[in-house]
Amino acid sequence: EIVLTQSPGTLSLSPGERATLSCRASQSVSSSYLAWYQQKPGQAPRLLIYGASNRATGIPDRFSGSGSGTDFTLTISRLEPEDFAVYYCQQYGSSPFFGPGTKVDIK
Amino acid sequence: QVQLVQSGAEVKKPGASVKVSCKASGYTFTSYGISWVRQAPGQGLEWMGWISAYNGNTNYAQKLQGRVTMTTDTSTSTAYMELRSLRSDDTAVYYCARANWVAATNFDYWGQGTLITVSS
């Protein structure tokens, strides 16, 4: 099984700042099989990025994904107030697994 | 618009079973699959398994093999997840999510979640 590690655990930033979230896999993941989700308290997760770099329908272009192999990154270019949330990466090879999440909170 | 509407919260005793439903609308149900994901209080996301609404194929997380069964009713566009021999650590919010019909992939639409509480 492929284990995902996310860092940092918590990222404290101000609105307007750039957020860089990391997701590292225990073994190589096909770029086609890496996704990112956003989850706010009391809500279901929302798909942001699939295939490592493709924005899902309706996702603003301030969200971007990159990476390959074992290292992937989600970047939020300028944080909006509604972007403060928990972000999960997910690999979906034979059996999907989620990373433990990164919380982006207001500094 | 695509919607997944789940059944309501339940409280169960240890050792009991629970069956959660997920009614899909706004798309062709048999062209996709449904995955189930759970989230214990204050914890992260745990994938439980997947079922193809096209052909009924399933793929369950190894941890839950033997305790979970996923089914679909294509006549009502509804997916079901049954979990047996419930334990206190099964207390969680359970989500259904739309996936690819061939395999569990990324999940582009999610249900609102169903809280299952296991307590004596």
Side-chain angles (χ1 to χ4, degrees):
Chain A
E1 103 193 12
I2 299 176
V3 177
L4 300 178
T5 303
Q6 292 187 242
S7 61
T10 302
L11 193 54
S12 297
L13 295 168
S14 302
E17 290 193 292
R18 181 184 187 91
T20 303
L21 287 66
S22 173
C23 176
R24 179 163 290 177
S26 59
Q27 54 186 282
S28 186
V29 174
S30 167
S31 295
S32 301
Y33 300 148
L34 195 287
W36 290 92
Y37 298 83
Q38 176 194 68
Q39 188 179 34
K40 298 178 182 178
Q43 296 185 16
R46 178 173 71 146
L47 177 66
L48 298 175
I49 301 286
Y50 65 94
S53 61
N54 301 290
R55 274 188 298 277
T57 303
I59 301 303
D61 60 8
R62 64 179 181 274
F63 291 92
S64 63
S66 63
S68 64
T70 59
D71 290 297
F72 297 88
T73 300
L74 174 70
T75 301
I76 310 171
S77 59
R78 287 178 56 86
L79 283 164
E80 297 288 341
E82 62 268 27
D83 299 337
F84 292 93
V86 179
Y87 293 83
Y88 295 95
C89 59
Q90 176 217 3
Q91 66 83 19
Y92 43 100
S94 58
S95 291
F97 281 95
F98 292 92
T102 290
K103 182 178 182 180
V104 179
D105 66 14
I106 299 177
K107 188 174 182 180
Chain B
Q1 73 284 18
V2 174
Q3 279 195 302
L4 299 173
V5 178
Q6 300 181 221
S7 49
E10 300 200 50
V11 179
K12 295 291 185 180
K13 293 193 182 302
S17 298
V18 68
K19 192 170 186 176
V20 180
S21 67
C22 170
K23 184 170 176 58
S25 61
Y27 71 98
T28 302
F29 184 65
T30 51
S31 294
Y32 291 85
I34 294 287
S35 263
W36 291 86
V37 176
R38 69 180 180 178
Q39 186 170 37
Q43 302 302 308
L45 303 171
E46 178 186 13
W47 177 75
M48 300 178 66
W50 162 88
I51 182 167
S52 171
Y54 175 74
N55 56 19
N57 286 352
T58 55
N59 179 16
Y60 300 139
Q62 190 171 8
K63 172 182 177 181
L64 296 173
Q65 289 271 4
R67 283 209 301 141
V68 67
T69 301
M70 296 175 187
T71 57
T72 60
D73 181 347
T74 57
S75 69
T76 61
S77 299
T78 303
Y80 298 91
M81 184 284 299
E82 181 179 34
L83 187 61
R84 299 176 294 278
S85 302
L86 289 168
R87 309 186 290 244
S88 58
D89 61 357
D90 291 318
T91 293
V93 175
Y94 289 74
Y95 295 101
C96 62
R98 193 176 78 165
N100 189 283
W101 70 271
V102 174
T105 55
N106 59 78
F107 312 134
D108 57 356
Y109 289 93
W110 294 64
Q112 82 277 18
T114 297
L115 175 61
I116 303 298
T117 303
V118 183
S119 173
S120 54

